[in-house]
């Protein structure tokens, strides 16, 4: 699967187009941080003492996409995608999403985990997210942690989540092969 071209978000657009384009910008940025690396590099925890890897970030973001757009927005009972060795799948982010597990998962790598497997799973979660969002307005709400959360809030949270993890990915990539930049 080739990495898509990253498109700069529009400078003058309506709110929904603005939010969706920034989310897509960061989704593509993470994919580009992984592009061209060998499997062993994608699995390498290159910024000690952190165990964080690029493959773990991709798996994690698949879980995060599933949590916010399937479990919370669409109120689906969606199981975790990736196993967790810590047994701490129940997090505050999953509360209110029908007791969902896996909300913060994906960071742990099994011996069998590969980027070739994780990339299409992540892309499938992005496609599901887009389909769910297409049926909601920005002001639509879903139950979350004893209250209500809007799609607008979810988009904003996801942009921040991706931006934070793209920063992590930038450090990892620089340590792996010297490549920098967004």
């Amino acid at each position: 699967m080739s990495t898509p071209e990253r498109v700069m978000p529009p400078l003058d657009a309506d709110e929904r187009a603005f939010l969706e384009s920034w989310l897509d910008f960061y989704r593509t940025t993470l994919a580009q941080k992984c592009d061209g690396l060998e499997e062993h590099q994608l699995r390498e925890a290159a910024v000690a003492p952190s165990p964080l890897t690029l493959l773990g970030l991709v798996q994690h973001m698949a879980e995060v996409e599933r949590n916010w757009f399937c479990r919370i927005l669409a109120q689906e009972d969606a199981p975790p995608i990736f196993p967790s060795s810590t047994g701490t799948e129940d997090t505050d982010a999953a509360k209110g999403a029908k007791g969902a597990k896996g909300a913060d998962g994906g960071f742990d790598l099994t011996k069998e985990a590969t980027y070739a497997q994780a990339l299409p799973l992540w892309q499938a979660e992005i496609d599901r997210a887009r389909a769910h969002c297409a049926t909601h307005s920005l002001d639509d709400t879903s139950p979350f942690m004893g209250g209500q959360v809007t799609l607008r809030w979810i988009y904003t949270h996801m942009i921040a989540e991706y931006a934070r993890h793209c920063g992590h990915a930038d450090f990892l990539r620089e340590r792996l092969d010297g490549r920098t930049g967004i």
Side-chain angles (χ1 to χ4, degrees):
M1 178 179 280
S2 64
T3 303
E5 180 182 337
R6 187 178 58 200
V7 177
M8 179 68 181
L11 300 176
D12 184 16
D14 65 67
E15 182 181 15
R16 187 176 193 118
F18 177 79
L19 292 168
E20 289 174 349
S21 63
W22 273 107
L23 183 53
D24 285 340
F25 177 87
Y26 284 115
R27 286 168 170 157
T28 303
T29 299
L30 181 56
Q32 288 181 343
K33 289 296 172 186
C34 299
D35 192 44
L37 292 175
E38 300 293 325
E39 187 67 36
H40 73 277
Q41 292 173 301
L42 293 162
R43 297 179 64 86
E44 184 177 335
V47 183
S50 172
L52 193 62
T53 66
L54 287 169
L55 178 55
L57 282 173
V58 169
Q59 290 184 166
H60 172 66
M61 291 315 298
E63 291 286 6
V64 171
E65 293 273 355
R66 177 171 284 195
N67 187 60
W68 284 103
F69 295 114
C70 295
R71 294 185 187 117
I72 295 174
L73 180 66
Q75 292 293 291
E76 292 179 358
D77 187 18
I81 305 167
F82 303 101
S84 171
S85 65
T86 63
T88 59
E89 292 96 345
D90 286 317
T91 66
D92 286 342
K95 290 178 183 169
K98 299 183 180 180
K101 293 181 178 265
D104 274 338
F107 288 119
D108 298 330
L109 302 182
T110 64
K111 290 184 186 212
E112 301 80 26
T114 67
Y115 185 67
Q117 294 167 335
L119 185 60
L121 290 170
W122 177 39
Q123 186 58 55
E125 292 304 318
I126 291 170
D127 293 343
R128 286 177 69 189
R130 287 182 178 131
H132 287 310
C133 291
T135 65
H136 290 80
S137 76
L138 292 177
D139 293 322
D140 283 353
T141 61
S142 296
F144 177 65
M145 295 181 64
Q148 296 289 312
V149 64
T150 64
L151 175 56
R152 177 182 290 104
W153 191 97
I154 293 171
Y155 272 141
T156 303
H157 173 77
M158 289 296 291
I159 291 165
E161 178 95 5
Y162 267 100
R164 179 174 54 254
H165 288 315
C166 283
H168 299 142
D170 195 41
F171 280 128
L172 289 165
R173 183 67 189 245
E174 183 177 8
R175 294 285 294 158
L176 290 167
D177 70 356
R179 187 171 139 199
T180 62
I182 57 169

